[in-house]
Amino acid sequence: MTEFELMKKQFEKWVGYLEKKSIKYVGESMDNPEPFTAGAGRNNYTIFAKDFAKQTGINVQAQPWCDTFIDSNFIHVLGKDRAKILLGGFSAYTPTSAGYFKNMGKWTSTPRPGDIVFFKNSKRIYHTAFVYAVDNSRIYTIEGNTSGGADVVENGGSVNKKSYPLSFGKIAGYGRVEYDMSGQNYLDGWIKEDGKWRYYISNHYVTNTYANYKGLTYYFDENGYMVTGQKMINGKRRVFSSSELEGALIVTNNDTEFKILDYDPLNCQNSGGNSGGNSGGNSGGNSGDGIVIIKRRHVYD
C-alpha cells in the first residue's frame, strides 16, 4: 500500500466517532479506543487529543479538534518524523497548519487525493479536512469535529465523510502532501523482533492494548511486545501463556486450573455463544464481563 492508501484507510476507520462529554469516556489510546458513540457529549474530549499529547507534548484536550484529528492520525500511521516532513509541523490551530504548507511551498488551489483542505470564514482559516477523492466537480473529505450537514461545520463533534463543489467559496486552499507512492511493503501482522513478537497494523505496531487473533486474545505492552506470564492490566491480574498457545490470554480460577479465554475487550462482546456454564466441559459460557470460556485445561506443578 502507498502512504496515501494507508492514510485513507486510517481516516475512514474513524467515521462515526463522536466526541465525549468528559475525559472518563475517552479510551486508552488510538490502538485501543473507547466505543465510538459511548459517552458522547459536546465538550471536545477525544482519543485524538489524548494521543496527540503523547505524540507531541501538546495538550489540546477539550478544545476544537479538526486539526488534531489530522495530525494525530498521520503520526499514528507514518511515525512522528515522517508525518512532520509531510505536514511541515504539528499544530491544533488551523491557520498555523496552513502556514506550514505555505512555508514549504506546498500550498495550492488545485486539489488531488491526499491533500489537506483548509476552509475560511470572514476572519481566518478555521477548519480542515483530509481529501480522499476528487472528481470533475467536487472534493470528497473525511473530517473531524464536524457534522453531516452540507456546509462547513467547524465544531460539530463527529467524524464524517462530506463533499464540496470545487468552486466552494469557503475553500481557502490545499496543503499538498507529497506521499511516497512507490507501494513499498509496509509491515502488517505478526513480526518477530529481538526474539519477541509484535503485531503491526499498517506499518505501526500496537501498544498497551489487547488484540484478537484466530479466536485467542493477546496483549501488547508499552513497547509493542506481546506479553507472556502475569501482568496487571487496569488493576486486574491477567496471565498469558508462555509455552503452548504462546501469549494467549488465560486467567487463574484456582491454584491448579486455568481457563483459556476468548475476549473482546473493546466491545465487551463475546464471540462465542451464551449457552453453557462457567464450570466443566468445553462449551462456551458468558462470565458476565464480556469473557467467554472456550476451552478449559488443568495444569499441575
Side-chain angles (χ1 to χ4, degrees), residues 212-241:
N212 292 320
Y213 180 75
K214 292 187 176 180
L216 294 174
T217 297
Y218 302 83
Y219 190 84
F220 298 86
D221 65 18
E222 63 275 9
N223 296 310
Y225 292 116
M226 181 187 72
V227 170
T228 59
Q230 297 188 43
K231 184 175 180 63
M232 294 297 294
I233 302 173
N234 297 326
K236 295 183 179 180
R237 183 168 70 98
R238 296 294 188 222
V239 184
F240 300 84
S241 176

PDB file of all heavy atoms in Angstrom, residues 212-241:
ATOM      1  N   ASN A 212      -7.201  -9.526  19.199  1.00  0.00           N
ATOM      2  CA  ASN A 212      -7.757 -10.853  18.976  1.00  0.00           C
ATOM      3  C   ASN A 212      -7.199 -11.442  17.690  1.00  0.00           C
ATOM      4  O   ASN A 212      -7.132 -10.752  16.670  1.00  0.00           O
ATOM      5  CB  ASN A 212      -9.283 -10.785  18.871  1.00  0.00           C
ATOM      6  CG  ASN A 212      -9.914 -10.419  20.200  1.00  0.00           C
ATOM      7  OD1 ASN A 212      -9.467 -10.890  21.237  1.00  0.00           O
ATOM      8  ND2 ASN A 212     -10.921  -9.570  20.170  1.00  0.00           N
ATOM      9  N   TYR A 213      -6.788 -12.706  17.731  1.00  0.00           N
ATOM     10  CA  TYR A 213      -6.226 -13.358  16.559  1.00  0.00           C
ATOM     11  C   TYR A 213      -6.604 -14.828  16.585  1.00  0.00           C
ATOM     12  O   TYR A 213      -6.280 -15.550  17.526  1.00  0.00           O
ATOM     13  CB  TYR A 213      -4.706 -13.200  16.542  1.00  0.00           C
ATOM     14  CG  TYR A 213      -4.021 -13.846  15.361  1.00  0.00           C
ATOM     15  CD1 TYR A 213      -4.086 -13.264  14.093  1.00  0.00           C
ATOM     16  CD2 TYR A 213      -3.311 -15.034  15.512  1.00  0.00           C
ATOM     17  CE1 TYR A 213      -3.459 -13.856  13.003  1.00  0.00           C
ATOM     18  CE2 TYR A 213      -2.676 -15.626  14.428  1.00  0.00           C
ATOM     19  CZ  TYR A 213      -2.754 -15.036  13.180  1.00  0.00           C
ATOM     20  OH  TYR A 213      -2.138 -15.623  12.096  1.00  0.00           O
ATOM     21  N   LYS A 214      -7.333 -15.266  15.556  1.00  0.00           N
ATOM     22  CA  LYS A 214      -7.753 -16.662  15.403  1.00  0.00           C
ATOM     23  C   LYS A 214      -8.406 -17.195  16.677  1.00  0.00           C
ATOM     24  O   LYS A 214      -8.103 -18.295  17.145  1.00  0.00           O
ATOM     25  CB  LYS A 214      -6.570 -17.535  14.989  1.00  0.00           C
ATOM     26  CG  LYS A 214      -6.073 -17.235  13.580  1.00  0.00           C
ATOM     27  CD  LYS A 214      -5.016 -18.233  13.116  1.00  0.00           C
ATOM     28  CE  LYS A 214      -4.619 -17.963  11.671  1.00  0.00           C
ATOM     29  NZ  LYS A 214      -3.595 -18.912  11.178  1.00  0.00           N
ATOM     30  N   GLY A 215      -9.290 -16.401  17.247  1.00  0.00           N
ATOM     31  CA  GLY A 215     -10.082 -16.864  18.378  1.00  0.00           C
ATOM     32  C   GLY A 215      -9.411 -16.749  19.727  1.00  0.00           C
ATOM     33  O   GLY A 215     -10.010 -17.108  20.745  1.00  0.00           O
ATOM     34  N   LEU A 216      -8.178 -16.258  19.782  1.00  0.00           N
ATOM     35  CA  LEU A 216      -7.492 -16.080  21.054  1.00  0.00           C
ATOM     36  C   LEU A 216      -7.138 -14.610  21.240  1.00  0.00           C
ATOM     37  O   LEU A 216      -7.054 -13.857  20.270  1.00  0.00           O
ATOM     38  CB  LEU A 216      -6.228 -16.948  21.126  1.00  0.00           C
ATOM     39  CG  LEU A 216      -6.477 -18.460  21.127  1.00  0.00           C
ATOM     40  CD1 LEU A 216      -5.162 -19.216  21.048  1.00  0.00           C
ATOM     41  CD2 LEU A 216      -7.257 -18.894  22.372  1.00  0.00           C
ATOM     42  N   THR A 217      -6.902 -14.226  22.474  1.00  0.00           N
ATOM     43  CA  THR A 217      -6.655 -12.831  22.805  1.00  0.00           C
ATOM     44  C   THR A 217      -5.244 -12.649  23.345  1.00  0.00           C
ATOM     45  O   THR A 217      -4.784 -13.434  24.178  1.00  0.00           O
ATOM     46  CB  THR A 217      -7.683 -12.345  23.845  1.00  0.00           C
ATOM     47  OG1 THR A 217      -8.979 -12.425  23.272  1.00  0.00           O
ATOM     48  CG2 THR A 217      -7.411 -10.900  24.251  1.00  0.00           C
ATOM     49  N   TYR A 218      -4.566 -11.627  22.878  1.00  0.00           N
ATOM     50  CA  TYR A 218      -3.202 -11.319  23.259  1.00  0.00           C
ATOM     51  C   TYR A 218      -3.139  -9.883  23.788  1.00  0.00           C
ATOM     52  O   TYR A 218      -4.029  -9.086  23.517  1.00  0.00           O
ATOM     53  CB  TYR A 218      -2.266 -11.478  22.054  1.00  0.00           C
ATOM     54  CG  TYR A 218      -2.296 -12.863  21.465  1.00  0.00           C
ATOM     55  CD1 TYR A 218      -3.293 -13.238  20.563  1.00  0.00           C
ATOM     56  CD2 TYR A 218      -1.345 -13.816  21.824  1.00  0.00           C
ATOM     57  CE1 TYR A 218      -3.338 -14.518  20.042  1.00  0.00           C
ATOM     58  CE2 TYR A 218      -1.377 -15.098  21.294  1.00  0.00           C
ATOM     59  CZ  TYR A 218      -2.380 -15.447  20.401  1.00  0.00           C
ATOM     60  OH  TYR A 218      -2.432 -16.723  19.887  1.00  0.00           O
ATOM     61  N   TYR A 219      -2.055  -9.580  24.504  1.00  0.00           N
ATOM     62  CA  TYR A 219      -1.859  -8.219  24.989  1.00  0.00           C
ATOM     63  C   TYR A 219      -0.447  -7.780  24.639  1.00  0.00           C
ATOM     64  O   TYR A 219       0.518  -8.557  24.749  1.00  0.00           O
ATOM     65  CB  TYR A 219      -2.067  -8.118  26.502  1.00  0.00           C
ATOM     66  CG  TYR A 219      -2.111  -6.689  26.996  1.00  0.00           C
ATOM     67  CD1 TYR A 219      -3.293  -5.960  26.952  1.00  0.00           C
ATOM     68  CD2 TYR A 219      -0.967  -6.056  27.482  1.00  0.00           C
ATOM     69  CE1 TYR A 219      -3.339  -4.646  27.374  1.00  0.00           C
ATOM     70  CE2 TYR A 219      -1.000  -4.744  27.905  1.00  0.00           C
ATOM     71  CZ  TYR A 219      -2.195  -4.039  27.851  1.00  0.00           C
ATOM     72  OH  TYR A 219      -2.238  -2.726  28.262  1.00  0.00           O
ATOM     73  N   PHE A 220      -0.315  -6.499  24.231  1.00  0.00           N
ATOM     74  CA  PHE A 220       0.969  -5.946  23.832  1.00  0.00           C
ATOM     75  C   PHE A 220       1.314  -4.785  24.755  1.00  0.00           C
ATOM     76  O   PHE A 220       0.479  -3.915  25.009  1.00  0.00           O
ATOM     77  CB  PHE A 220       0.904  -5.503  22.366  1.00  0.00           C
ATOM     78  CG  PHE A 220       0.619  -6.654  21.437  1.00  0.00           C
ATOM     79  CD1 PHE A 220      -0.687  -7.039  21.178  1.00  0.00           C
ATOM     80  CD2 PHE A 220       1.652  -7.372  20.871  1.00  0.00           C
ATOM     81  CE1 PHE A 220      -0.963  -8.119  20.359  1.00  0.00           C
ATOM     82  CE2 PHE A 220       1.401  -8.450  20.044  1.00  0.00           C
ATOM     83  CZ  PHE A 220       0.090  -8.839  19.778  1.00  0.00           C
ATOM     84  N   ASP A 221       2.553  -4.779  25.257  1.00  0.00           N
ATOM     85  CA  ASP A 221       2.942  -3.804  26.278  1.00  0.00           C
ATOM     86  C   ASP A 221       3.269  -2.439  25.667  1.00  0.00           C
ATOM     87  O   ASP A 221       3.046  -2.207  24.470  1.00  0.00           O
ATOM     88  CB  ASP A 221       4.111  -4.336  27.109  1.00  0.00           C
ATOM     89  CG  ASP A 221       5.400  -4.512  26.308  1.00  0.00           C
ATOM     90  OD1 ASP A 221       5.526  -3.929  25.208  1.00  0.00           O
ATOM     91  OD2 ASP A 221       6.298  -5.233  26.794  1.00  0.00           O
ATOM     92  N   GLU A 222       3.813  -1.544  26.491  1.00  0.00           N
ATOM     93  CA  GLU A 222       4.063  -0.174  26.052  1.00  0.00           C
ATOM     94  C   GLU A 222       5.113  -0.088  24.944  1.00  0.00           C
ATOM     95  O   GLU A 222       5.178   0.908  24.214  1.00  0.00           O
ATOM     96  CB  GLU A 222       4.500   0.693  27.236  1.00  0.00           C
ATOM     97  CG  GLU A 222       5.800   0.281  27.903  1.00  0.00           C
ATOM     98  CD  GLU A 222       5.621  -0.812  28.954  1.00  0.00           C
ATOM     99  OE1 GLU A 222       4.510  -1.375  29.050  1.00  0.00           O
ATOM    100  OE2 GLU A 222       6.598  -1.078  29.680  1.00  0.00           O
ATOM    101  N   ASN A 223       5.923  -1.137  24.791  1.00  0.00           N
ATOM    102  CA  ASN A 223       6.908  -1.180  23.712  1.00  0.00           C
ATOM    103  C   ASN A 223       6.439  -2.007  22.516  1.00  0.00           C
ATOM    104  O   ASN A 223       7.210  -2.218  21.580  1.00  0.00           O
ATOM    105  CB  ASN A 223       8.230  -1.741  24.236  1.00  0.00           C
ATOM    106  CG  ASN A 223       8.850  -0.845  25.300  1.00  0.00           C
ATOM    107  OD1 ASN A 223       8.978   0.353  25.102  1.00  0.00           O
ATOM    108  ND2 ASN A 223       9.206  -1.427  26.435  1.00  0.00           N
ATOM    109  N   GLY A 224       5.200  -2.469  22.582  1.00  0.00           N
ATOM    110  CA  GLY A 224       4.635  -3.217  21.473  1.00  0.00           C
ATOM    111  C   GLY A 224       4.905  -4.704  21.496  1.00  0.00           C
ATOM    112  O   GLY A 224       4.526  -5.414  20.558  1.00  0.00           O
ATOM    113  N   TYR A 225       5.541  -5.205  22.556  1.00  0.00           N
ATOM    114  CA  TYR A 225       5.862  -6.627  22.603  1.00  0.00           C
ATOM    115  C   TYR A 225       4.724  -7.433  23.233  1.00  0.00           C
ATOM    116  O   TYR A 225       4.100  -6.995  24.203  1.00  0.00           O
ATOM    117  CB  TYR A 225       7.150  -6.862  23.397  1.00  0.00           C
ATOM    118  CG  TYR A 225       8.387  -6.311  22.712  1.00  0.00           C
ATOM    119  CD1 TYR A 225       9.118  -5.280  23.295  1.00  0.00           C
ATOM    120  CD2 TYR A 225       8.809  -6.814  21.481  1.00  0.00           C
ATOM    121  CE1 TYR A 225      10.247  -4.763  22.665  1.00  0.00           C
ATOM    122  CE2 TYR A 225       9.934  -6.305  20.853  1.00  0.00           C
ATOM    123  CZ  TYR A 225      10.652  -5.277  21.440  1.00  0.00           C
ATOM    124  OH  TYR A 225      11.755  -4.773  20.819  1.00  0.00           O
ATOM    125  N   MET A 226       4.491  -8.614  22.669  1.00  0.00           N
ATOM    126  CA  MET A 226       3.466  -9.499  23.205  1.00  0.00           C
ATOM    127  C   MET A 226       3.838  -9.945  24.623  1.00  0.00           C
ATOM    128  O   MET A 226       4.973 -10.334  24.888  1.00  0.00           O
ATOM    129  CB  MET A 226       3.334 -10.732  22.302  1.00  0.00           C
ATOM    130  CG  MET A 226       2.273 -11.728  22.735  1.00  0.00           C
ATOM    131  SD  MET A 226       2.348 -13.240  21.731  1.00  0.00           S
ATOM    132  CE  MET A 226       3.856 -13.979  22.376  1.00  0.00           C
ATOM    133  N   VAL A 227       2.884  -9.868  25.517  1.00  0.00           N
ATOM    134  CA  VAL A 227       3.103 -10.204  26.918  1.00  0.00           C
ATOM    135  C   VAL A 227       2.952 -11.706  27.130  1.00  0.00           C
ATOM    136  O   VAL A 227       2.042 -12.342  26.583  1.00  0.00           O
ATOM    137  CB  VAL A 227       2.104  -9.446  27.809  1.00  0.00           C
ATOM    138  CG1 VAL A 227       2.150  -9.952  29.246  1.00  0.00           C
ATOM    139  CG2 VAL A 227       2.378  -7.948  27.751  1.00  0.00           C
ATOM    140  N   THR A 228       3.850 -12.292  27.930  1.00  0.00           N
ATOM    141  CA  THR A 228       3.684 -13.653  28.429  1.00  0.00           C
ATOM    142  C   THR A 228       3.807 -13.605  29.946  1.00  0.00           C
ATOM    143  O   THR A 228       4.362 -12.657  30.517  1.00  0.00           O
ATOM    144  CB  THR A 228       4.728 -14.619  27.837  1.00  0.00           C
ATOM    145  OG1 THR A 228       6.046 -14.152  28.183  1.00  0.00           O
ATOM    146  CG2 THR A 228       4.595 -14.708  26.328  1.00  0.00           C
ATOM    147  N   GLY A 229       3.277 -14.628  30.596  1.00  0.00           N
ATOM    148  CA  GLY A 229       3.299 -14.636  32.052  1.00  0.00           C
ATOM    149  C   GLY A 229       2.243 -13.717  32.639  1.00  0.00           C
ATOM    150  O   GLY A 229       1.251 -13.395  31.988  1.00  0.00           O
ATOM    151  N   GLN A 230       2.466 -13.264  33.866  1.00  0.00           N
ATOM    152  CA  GLN A 230       1.479 -12.462  34.572  1.00  0.00           C
ATOM    153  C   GLN A 230       1.700 -10.962  34.320  1.00  0.00           C
ATOM    154  O   GLN A 230       2.823 -10.499  34.211  1.00  0.00           O
ATOM    155  CB  GLN A 230       1.549 -12.711  36.076  1.00  0.00           C
ATOM    156  CG  GLN A 230       1.219 -14.136  36.486  1.00  0.00           C
ATOM    157  CD  GLN A 230       1.104 -14.278  37.985  1.00  0.00           C
ATOM    158  OE1 GLN A 230       0.511 -13.435  38.652  1.00  0.00           O
ATOM    159  NE2 GLN A 230       1.657 -15.348  38.531  1.00  0.00           N
ATOM    160  N   LYS A 231       0.596 -10.228  34.253  1.00  0.00           N
ATOM    161  CA  LYS A 231       0.663  -8.777  34.119  1.00  0.00           C
ATOM    162  C   LYS A 231      -0.595  -8.166  34.705  1.00  0.00           C
ATOM    163  O   LYS A 231      -1.703  -8.666  34.467  1.00  0.00           O
ATOM    164  CB  LYS A 231       0.808  -8.359  32.651  1.00  0.00           C
ATOM    165  CG  LYS A 231       0.982  -6.840  32.463  1.00  0.00           C
ATOM    166  CD  LYS A 231       1.242  -6.493  31.023  1.00  0.00           C
ATOM    167  CE  LYS A 231       1.406  -4.989  30.831  1.00  0.00           C
ATOM    168  NZ  LYS A 231       2.570  -4.429  31.550  1.00  0.00           N
ATOM    169  N   MET A 232      -0.439  -7.085  35.462  1.00  0.00           N
ATOM    170  CA  MET A 232      -1.578  -6.331  35.956  1.00  0.00           C
ATOM    171  C   MET A 232      -2.019  -5.355  34.878  1.00  0.00           C
ATOM    172  O   MET A 232      -1.226  -4.528  34.407  1.00  0.00           O
ATOM    173  CB  MET A 232      -1.210  -5.579  37.232  1.00  0.00           C
ATOM    174  CG  MET A 232      -0.887  -6.473  38.412  1.00  0.00           C
ATOM    175  SD  MET A 232      -2.302  -7.484  38.942  1.00  0.00           S
ATOM    176  CE  MET A 232      -3.426  -6.201  39.536  1.00  0.00           C
ATOM    177  N   ILE A 233      -3.268  -5.447  34.455  1.00  0.00           N
ATOM    178  CA  ILE A 233      -3.810  -4.588  33.410  1.00  0.00           C
ATOM    179  C   ILE A 233      -5.073  -3.943  33.942  1.00  0.00           C
ATOM    180  O   ILE A 233      -6.039  -4.621  34.282  1.00  0.00           O
ATOM    181  CB  ILE A 233      -4.119  -5.380  32.121  1.00  0.00           C
ATOM    182  CG1 ILE A 233      -2.846  -6.060  31.611  1.00  0.00           C
ATOM    183  CG2 ILE A 233      -4.716  -4.468  31.052  1.00  0.00           C
ATOM    184  CD1 ILE A 233      -3.081  -7.004  30.448  1.00  0.00           C
ATOM    185  N   ASN A 234      -5.049  -2.613  34.046  1.00  0.00           N
ATOM    186  CA  ASN A 234      -6.199  -1.872  34.587  1.00  0.00           C
ATOM    187  C   ASN A 234      -6.638  -2.419  35.939  1.00  0.00           C
ATOM    188  O   ASN A 234      -7.832  -2.560  36.210  1.00  0.00           O
ATOM    189  CB  ASN A 234      -7.362  -1.894  33.588  1.00  0.00           C
ATOM    190  CG  ASN A 234      -7.016  -1.198  32.285  1.00  0.00           C
ATOM    191  OD1 ASN A 234      -6.265  -0.226  32.277  1.00  0.00           O
ATOM    192  ND2 ASN A 234      -7.560  -1.701  31.187  1.00  0.00           N
ATOM    193  N   GLY A 235      -5.649  -2.754  36.777  1.00  0.00           N
ATOM    194  CA  GLY A 235      -5.939  -3.206  38.131  1.00  0.00           C
ATOM    195  C   GLY A 235      -6.345  -4.658  38.259  1.00  0.00           C
ATOM    196  O   GLY A 235      -6.681  -5.101  39.358  1.00  0.00           O
ATOM    197  N   LYS A 236      -6.309  -5.419  37.159  1.00  0.00           N
ATOM    198  CA  LYS A 236      -6.695  -6.826  37.202  1.00  0.00           C
ATOM    199  C   LYS A 236      -5.521  -7.699  36.766  1.00  0.00           C
ATOM    200  O   LYS A 236      -4.813  -7.364  35.826  1.00  0.00           O
ATOM    201  CB  LYS A 236      -7.900  -7.079  36.291  1.00  0.00           C
ATOM    202  CG  LYS A 236      -9.163  -6.362  36.735  1.00  0.00           C
ATOM    203  CD  LYS A 236     -10.334  -6.717  35.830  1.00  0.00           C
ATOM    204  CE  LYS A 236     -11.613  -6.006  36.286  1.00  0.00           C
ATOM    205  NZ  LYS A 236     -12.764  -6.332  35.407  1.00  0.00           N
ATOM    206  N   ARG A 237      -5.344  -8.806  37.476  1.00  0.00           N
ATOM    207  CA  ARG A 237      -4.266  -9.733  37.134  1.00  0.00           C
ATOM    208  C   ARG A 237      -4.669 -10.566  35.927  1.00  0.00           C
ATOM    209  O   ARG A 237      -5.721 -11.201  35.913  1.00  0.00           O
ATOM    210  CB  ARG A 237      -3.944 -10.657  38.316  1.00  0.00           C
ATOM    211  CG  ARG A 237      -2.760 -11.597  38.039  1.00  0.00           C
ATOM    212  CD  ARG A 237      -2.287 -12.270  39.315  1.00  0.00           C
ATOM    213  NE  ARG A 237      -3.250 -13.233  39.787  1.00  0.00           N
ATOM    214  CZ  ARG A 237      -3.172 -14.557  39.568  1.00  0.00           C
ATOM    215  NH1 ARG A 237      -2.154 -15.041  38.898  1.00  0.00           N
ATOM    216  NH2 ARG A 237      -4.079 -15.363  40.047  1.00  0.00           N
ATOM    217  N   ARG A 238      -3.826 -10.554  34.913  1.00  0.00           N
ATOM    218  CA  ARG A 238      -4.031 -11.383  33.738  1.00  0.00           C
ATOM    219  C   ARG A 238      -2.822 -12.288  33.571  1.00  0.00           C
ATOM    220  O   ARG A 238      -1.687 -11.891  33.875  1.00  0.00           O
ATOM    221  CB  ARG A 238      -4.201 -10.528  32.474  1.00  0.00           C
ATOM    222  CG  ARG A 238      -5.441  -9.632  32.494  1.00  0.00           C
ATOM    223  CD  ARG A 238      -6.711 -10.452  32.477  1.00  0.00           C
ATOM    224  NE  ARG A 238      -7.896  -9.629  32.309  1.00  0.00           N
ATOM    225  CZ  ARG A 238      -9.026  -9.814  32.983  1.00  0.00           C
ATOM    226  NH1 ARG A 238      -9.095 -10.748  33.912  1.00  0.00           N
ATOM    227  NH2 ARG A 238     -10.071  -9.051  32.739  1.00  0.00           N
ATOM    228  N   VAL A 239      -3.051 -13.499  33.107  1.00  0.00           N
ATOM    229  CA  VAL A 239      -1.975 -14.458  32.884  1.00  0.00           C
ATOM    230  C   VAL A 239      -2.007 -14.870  31.423  1.00  0.00           C
ATOM    231  O   VAL A 239      -3.060 -15.211  30.880  1.00  0.00           O
ATOM    232  CB  VAL A 239      -2.135 -15.698  33.789  1.00  0.00           C
ATOM    233  CG1 VAL A 239      -0.945 -16.631  33.603  1.00  0.00           C
ATOM    234  CG2 VAL A 239      -2.258 -15.283  35.248  1.00  0.00           C
ATOM    235  N   PHE A 240      -0.834 -14.834  30.782  1.00  0.00           N
ATOM    236  CA  PHE A 240      -0.716 -15.158  29.376  1.00  0.00           C
ATOM    237  C   PHE A 240       0.223 -16.336  29.210  1.00  0.00           C
ATOM    238  O   PHE A 240       1.279 -16.400  29.843  1.00  0.00           O
ATOM    239  CB  PHE A 240      -0.201 -13.951  28.588  1.00  0.00           C
ATOM    240  CG  PHE A 240      -1.096 -12.751  28.681  1.00  0.00           C
ATOM    241  CD1 PHE A 240      -1.008 -11.880  29.755  1.00  0.00           C
ATOM    242  CD2 PHE A 240      -2.052 -12.499  27.706  1.00  0.00           C
ATOM    243  CE1 PHE A 240      -1.839 -10.776  29.848  1.00  0.00           C
ATOM    244  CE2 PHE A 240      -2.887 -11.405  27.798  1.00  0.00           C
ATOM    245  CZ  PHE A 240      -2.788 -10.549  28.869  1.00  0.00           C
ATOM    246  N   SER A 241      -0.157 -17.256  28.355  1.00  0.00           N
ATOM    247  CA  SER A 241       0.593 -18.489  28.170  1.00  0.00           C
ATOM    248  C   SER A 241       2.027 -18.204  27.765  1.00  0.00           C
ATOM    249  O   SER A 241       2.308 -17.320  26.956  1.00  0.00           O
ATOM    250  CB  SER A 241      -0.085 -19.352  27.099  1.00  0.00           C
ATOM    251  OG  SER A 241       0.679 -20.510  26.830  1.00  0.00           O
TER     252      SER A 241
END
